[in-house]
Amino acid sequence: MAQIRIARRVLTECIAAMAFPILLLSILVAPVSAPVVAETDRSRARWCGVETMPLKPSDDSWAQWVAPRLRSRSMWRTDLPVFVTAVLLSALSLLVAFFGFIGAAALVFSPVFWLFGIAAQVGPFTPESVRETLLAMPAGIVLGAVTTTVLTGTSFLRDLLLRTFSRSRDPDLLAKLEELRTSRASLTAAFEFERQRIERDLHDGAQQELVAVVMRLGMLEATATAAAADQERIVRLARQAQAHAERALERLRDTVRNIHPRELTDLGLIAAVRELAARSPLRVELNSTGDDAQLSSPTATAVYFTVSEALTNISKHAGVGSARIDLRCTTTDVHVRVHDDGVGGARIYAGSGLAGLRERMRSVGGNLEILSPPGGGTLVVASAPSQPPW
């Protein structure tokens, strides 16, 4: 393993040496190139086995990330010094790799060159006999080993300067801030999607039913006025209006429940999930342990809607009629697993309900994961601390 890391360090230094002309030209646009070079150096350090935190969110393009980065003070305090260090050390690696490896190759293959009538000169040394070319071979091996050692040391020096300019905790803090920014954007999109869903539910559900009620009541009034003796038609229209009003009321209750269920506020998470399982069209096996009294309202709400969305997805897409929920509450955290034996293949993608739920879980310090191999069912796993970290 150590040999692999050394090989990686030597390889990255050779790549840095070859990239030196590009780095030299990038000085002309240093404010823009500095974050890119610094982030690349952090990736290099991770590849060489050093724990560094990436600052660029994986969802952002380089242009999206660099633009706001230019306005942050940490770019001048961290990225620019790392950029200057990269340019200087790349120049050093270029000199060491060029003269070291070429010199080592010339010494090792000097007998071959001698056969073709070429005296391979390395610095002040020029072989004048076959014996001297043979003696040059071990010297070339030593020079190659020294060159490898110097390049490895240069790589370690890069890591040291990277940590020094990052001021130990700065990268972690900045990464968390970047993650918070991305999470905030995702939550905003999720809330907008939820508002559109509520508007759609009210328009297509309760509003349509109430329009039907108004029409039936108008017809009822006209019938009662025109033919008071037509009691049967009046009764039928009244019953139809009542049925539409009841459906409108039920849809309004469903919409309100989807915004925030009353059971969650009055009875707690376990009771609310039990009531959710009872209303589900699936056969739900619920196993709950612990006490949910310590759960904060944001945490309980995030977990509740995770379970609700998981059950909805099972009933729509899994192709099975049953599901299993394992809910565990402790004084410090809460864990929930929703499992089905359906077709699998579920995934979290931008704009989906599960993506919004994952960001909601992250907003309370938790996380949500999906394990869904094709044909192997789906497992939704969510966890969060009892109290949000904010």
Side-chain angles (χ1 to χ4, degrees), residues 49-124:
V50 179
E51 292 186 4
T52 58
M53 182 74 72
L55 301 188
K56 186 182 84 67
S58 58
D59 297 337
D60 285 2
S61 66
W62 283 103
Q64 291 174 325
W65 178 68
V66 169
R69 183 76 177 163
L70 294 176
R71 297 189 295 270
S72 73
R73 287 181 295 179
S74 61
M75 194 282 291
W76 304 97
R77 187 178 64 241
T78 303
D79 293 349
L80 194 59
V82 172
F83 171 71
V84 173
T85 299
V87 174
L88 296 177
L89 291 182
S90 295
L92 175 61
S93 296
L94 177 61
L95 293 173
V96 172
F98 182 80
F99 291 106
F101 286 137
I102 290 181
L107 290 173
V108 170
F109 293 102
S110 58
V112 178
F113 296 143
W114 184 267
L115 291 176
F116 289 94
I118 301 173
Q121 181 180 359
V122 178

Side-chain angles (χ1 to χ4, degrees), residues 116-130:
F116 289 94
I118 301 173
Q121 181 180 359
V122 178
F125 172 73
T126 302
E128 296 180 355
S129 64
V130 176

Side-chain angles (χ1 to χ4, degrees), residues 11-302:
L11 177 60
T12 53
E13 288 305 316
C14 291
I15 294 174
M18 291 185 289
F20 174 71
I22 299 175
L23 291 174
L24 203 58
L25 290 175
S26 67
I27 294 177
L28 299 176
V29 287
V32 176
S33 58
V36 177
V37 173
E39 186 68 9
T40 303
D41 196 44
R42 283 185 279 269
S43 299
R44 173 207 61 80
R46 285 195 302 277
W47 195 61
C48 292
V50 179
E51 292 186 4
T52 58
M53 182 74 72
L55 301 188
K56 186 182 84 67
S58 58
D59 297 337
D60 285 2
S61 66
W62 283 103
Q64 291 174 325
W65 178 68
V66 169
R69 183 76 177 163
L70 294 176
R71 297 189 295 270
S72 73
R73 287 181 295 179
S74 61
M75 194 282 291
W76 304 97
R77 187 178 64 241
T78 303
D79 293 349
L80 194 59
V82 172
F83 171 71
V84 173
T85 299
V87 174
L88 296 177
L89 291 182
S90 295
L92 175 61
S93 296
L94 177 61
L95 293 173
V96 172
F98 182 80
F99 291 106
F101 286 137
I102 290 181
L107 290 173
V108 170
F109 293 102
S110 58
V112 178
F113 296 143
W114 184 267
L115 291 176
F116 289 94
I118 301 173
Q121 181 180 359
V122 178
F125 172 73
T126 302
E128 296 180 355
S129 64
V130 176
R131 180 174 176 274
E132 289 184 358
T133 61
L134 294 175
L135 291 175
M137 293 180 64
I141 295 174
V142 172
L143 180 58
V146 171
T147 302
T148 299
T149 303
V150 174
L151 291 177
T152 303
T154 304
S155 179
F156 280 112
L157 181 59
R158 284 182 191 271
D159 296 340
L160 176 62
L161 294 175
L162 177 63
R163 288 194 295 266
T164 300
F165 292 131
S166 297
R167 296 183 181 178
S168 66
R169 297 188 63 154
D170 252 6
D172 295 343
L173 179 59
L174 291 173
K176 291 297 182 184
L177 291 176
E178 293 290 350
E179 182 181 346
L180 178 61
R181 184 184 64 82
T182 304
S183 178
R184 183 178 62 185
S186 299
L187 280 175
T188 301
F191 289 152
E192 180 63 27
F193 175 80
E194 187 66 15
R195 282 193 292 269
Q196 293 176 359
R197 184 193 65 78
I198 293 173
E199 186 275 335
R200 185 173 62 252
D201 288 348
L202 290 175
H203 180 273
D204 298 339
Q207 179 174 304
Q208 296 295 333
E209 298 293 346
L210 290 174
V211 168
V213 170
V214 172
M215 292 177 62
R216 289 294 186 277
L217 289 176
M219 294 171 62
L220 179 62
E221 179 183 8
T223 302
T225 302
D230 193 355
Q231 297 294 328
E232 182 179 348
R233 177 171 172 77
I234 293 175
V235 170
R236 185 174 67 255
L237 291 174
R239 287 174 177 172
Q240 290 176 349
Q242 182 183 12
H244 282 293
E246 289 175 350
R247 283 197 294 270
L249 181 60
E250 185 60 31
R251 294 199 177 191
L252 281 174
R253 286 172 177 167
D254 289 339
T255 300
V256 171
R257 186 183 291 112
N258 287 332
I259 296 174
H260 191 86
R262 188 68 182 176
E263 298 85 1
L264 190 60
T265 303
D266 295 343
L267 304 176
L269 176 62
I270 295 177
V273 171
R274 185 177 294 113
E275 195 273 340
L276 181 66
R279 287 190 291 107
S280 174
L282 302 168
R283 298 187 306 276
V284 180
E285 179 185 352
L286 172 61
N287 297 310
S288 59
T289 58
D291 184 7
D292 58 9
Q294 301 297 323
L295 293 182
S296 66
S297 177
T299 299
T301 302

